[in-house]
Amino acid sequence: MLIAHLLALFLPSAARPPTVTLRNKVELPLVSAGVWQYNSSVAEASILAAVKAGFTAVDTALDYWNQDGVGRAIQKAIASQTMRREDIFVETKVPGCGNPLENTTRNPFDCYASTARNLAFDLEQLNLTYVDLVIIHFPPFPSFIVRSCGEWTGSCQMARAQWKAMVEFYKAGKARAIGVSNYCPSCFECLRDSEVFPMVNQVMYHVGMGADPGGIVSYGRKMGVVTQAYSSLGNNPFTKHADVRILKGNLTTGIAKSHNVSTVQLALKYIISQGIAAVTKSSNPAHLKSDLDLWSWDLSEKEMDQLQAFEIPGVLQKYSFACSSAQQQHLVV
C-alpha cells in the first residue's frame, strides 16, 4: 500500500480532479466516471481505464445492473496497488419507491424495508463495506404522474420512509454521505424535518438548459445541497448518444476551437466552472484522459454568458424526468 500512497501524492494535478465540499465536510470530486447503459464487463473495463486515466470517483446504480463489474474493477485496482480504497469515491443509487417498473421497490407500502434491502444489496454487489455516497435515484412514483410531491398522493410518506432507511445506513457508517436524484423542491419539502437533509441532488444538467433550469441549482445552494449533473453531454435513454447540438453546434465548436479542446471538454468545463459536479462516461482510455484535462484552461466571462444563454429547444427546465414543481400541487402540466 506504500506504493499506492506515493502514487496518490505524486500524480500530476491534471489527473486529480478538484472537489466540492458537502455539508458534512465530505469531499466530492468534481468529475466522476459513469457506467450508465454499460453491461458488467464493459463497466469493469471502463472503470479500470478511468482509474488509470486519473479519475478519483465512479458513479453507478443498483438499477444499472452492472455494480458487480464496477466492484471487480475497484478490487483489481486496489490489488494491483494502483490505489487504496480511500483514494476512490464510490457513488451508487437505490431506486425510488412505488415504481411499477422496479421489481425491488414496487410496493408503495414497503418503502422502508425495500430500501434497506437495496442498500445492503448495493454493498454486496460492489463487494465493499461502505460507499462514499448513496442517493435515491428518483422520487416516489406518484411524482411522475402529477409532477409534484405531496401528502395527498402519498409521495411524501413514501419519500420519508425511504429516507429513514437512508439515514440509518448513513449513521451506521455504511455511507459517508447520502442524497437524492431527480428531486424537485416539492419533494425536498417532504424531508424538511429530517434529522439529516440530503447532501446531493443529481439532476440532468448540460449546455443548452440555461444556468438554472427550473431554479433547481439556486434552490440547492439555498438549502446547502450540492448539485451533480448527469447526462452532461445531453445524453438521453432513447438515442443513447450525446446531443449533436452540443457536440457539433456552431457555438460550442467555436468556443472549443479557441481553447484547442474538444466540445466534450467544453461541455464538462461549463458545468464544473459553476461548482456543479459532473458525471461523464467513456470506454475509450484516450477520451477518459481528455475528460480530466479541464483545469489547464478557463472560459472567459463572455464565453460563460454565451453558453448560459444558449438554448436547446425541448430541454429547458427538464432537469428531472420525475417531477418539476417547487410547490406541493395537485397537478403540474
Side-chain angles (χ1 to χ4, degrees):
M1 286 304 171
L2 176 60
I3 295 175
H5 179 66
L6 291 174
L7 283 171
L9 288 176
F10 294 109
L11 276 174
S13 58
R16 301 181 63 188
T19 60
V20 59
T21 305
L22 306 185
R23 191 186 310 108
N24 67 345
K25 308 306 179 185
V26 166
E27 299 290 330
L28 168 64
L30 275 173
V31 182
S32 298
V35 291
W36 179 47
Q37 298 174 326
Y38 288 163
N39 62 33
S40 290
S41 59
V42 175
E44 178 181 353
S46 69
I47 293 305
L48 282 170
V51 169
K52 186 175 181 180
F55 276 83
T56 56
V58 301
D59 173 85
T60 184
L62 185 148
D63 46 3
Y64 292 173
W65 304 111
N66 57 22
Q67 290 191 116
D68 56 335
V70 174
R72 287 194 299 271
I74 293 170
Q75 296 303 325
K76 285 181 178 180
I78 293 173
S80 67
Q81 297 190 326
T82 302
M83 65 179 190
R84 302 165 299 171
R85 168 62 186 92
E86 55 266 36
D87 295 327
I88 188 76
F89 190 102
V90 180
E91 176 179 1
T92 190
K93 310 172 188 74
V94 292
C97 195
N99 189 330
L101 300 179
E102 291 286 349
N103 291 334
T104 62
T105 54
R106 184 177 296 166
N107 185 350
F109 303 105
D110 191 42
C111 296
Y112 167 77
S114 62
T115 301
R117 288 193 297 269
N118 282 340
L119 288 166
F121 192 44
D122 276 337
L123 293 182
E124 179 184 336
Q125 287 269 293
L126 289 164
N127 192 22
L128 297 174
T129 58
Y130 74 95
V131 292
D132 297 276
L133 171 63
V134 62
I135 60 180
I136 299 175
H137 209 159
F138 45 83
F141 186 67
S143 69
F144 285 64
I145 301 170
V146 300
R147 306 298 295 171
S148 171
C149 284
E151 303 290 343
W152 73 280
T153 61
S155 52
C156 273
Q157 293 89 330
M158 295 161 69
R160 285 193 288 266
Q162 284 205 280
W163 194 246
K164 178 183 177 184
M166 295 282 285
V167 171
E168 290 177 358
F169 192 74
Y170 170 65
K171 293 179 73 174
K174 296 179 180 179
R176 297 177 61 227
I178 51 177
V180 295
S181 180
N182 293 296
Y183 264 48
C184 57
S186 63
C187 295
F188 275 104
E189 288 301 304
C190 301
L191 307 178
R192 179 177 283 275
D193 296 328
S194 175
E195 177 185 0
V196 180
F197 199 68
M199 302 165 191
V200 172
N201 188 22
Q202 189 184 102
V203 298
M204 178 179 281
Y205 188 86
H206 56 75
V207 173
M209 295 182 69
D212 191 15
I216 195 61
V217 176
S218 55
Y219 176 84
R221 287 172 179 154
K222 180 179 73 173
M223 302 299 292
V225 177
V226 169
T227 300
Q228 185 181 43
Y230 70 76
S231 294
S232 52
L233 303 179
N235 313 63
N236 68 68
F238 305 106
T239 66
K240 299 185 179 181
H241 298 294
D243 194 306
V244 68
R245 292 163 292 187
I246 296 175
L247 289 185
K248 297 183 179 180
N250 290 335
L251 175 64
T252 51
T253 54
I255 295 176
K257 185 177 180 180
S258 71
H259 292 280
N260 195 30
V261 298
S262 69
T263 49
V264 173
Q265 289 171 289
L266 174 70
L268 293 173
K269 182 70 172 183
Y270 168 76
I271 295 170
I272 65 168
S273 293
Q274 301 174 80
I276 297 172
V279 178
T280 186
K281 72 167 190 174
S282 178
S283 56
N284 184 310
H287 291 170
L288 287 165
K289 186 175 181 180
S290 69
D291 286 348
L292 291 179
D293 183 13
L294 304 176
W295 289 276
S296 61
W297 56 283
D298 288 303
L299 293 168
S300 69
E301 184 177 344
K302 179 182 178 181
E303 289 169 335
M304 281 298 296
D305 289 343
Q306 289 175 314
L307 291 168
Q308 289 179 339
F310 176 53
E311 296 182 359
I312 296 178
V315 303
L316 293 179
Q317 314 300 318
K318 295 182 180 179
Y319 59 83
S320 168
F321 55 74
C323 70
S324 57
S325 178
Q327 306 296 325
Q328 294 186 0
Q329 303 179 41
H330 286 252
L331 180 63
V332 179
V333 294

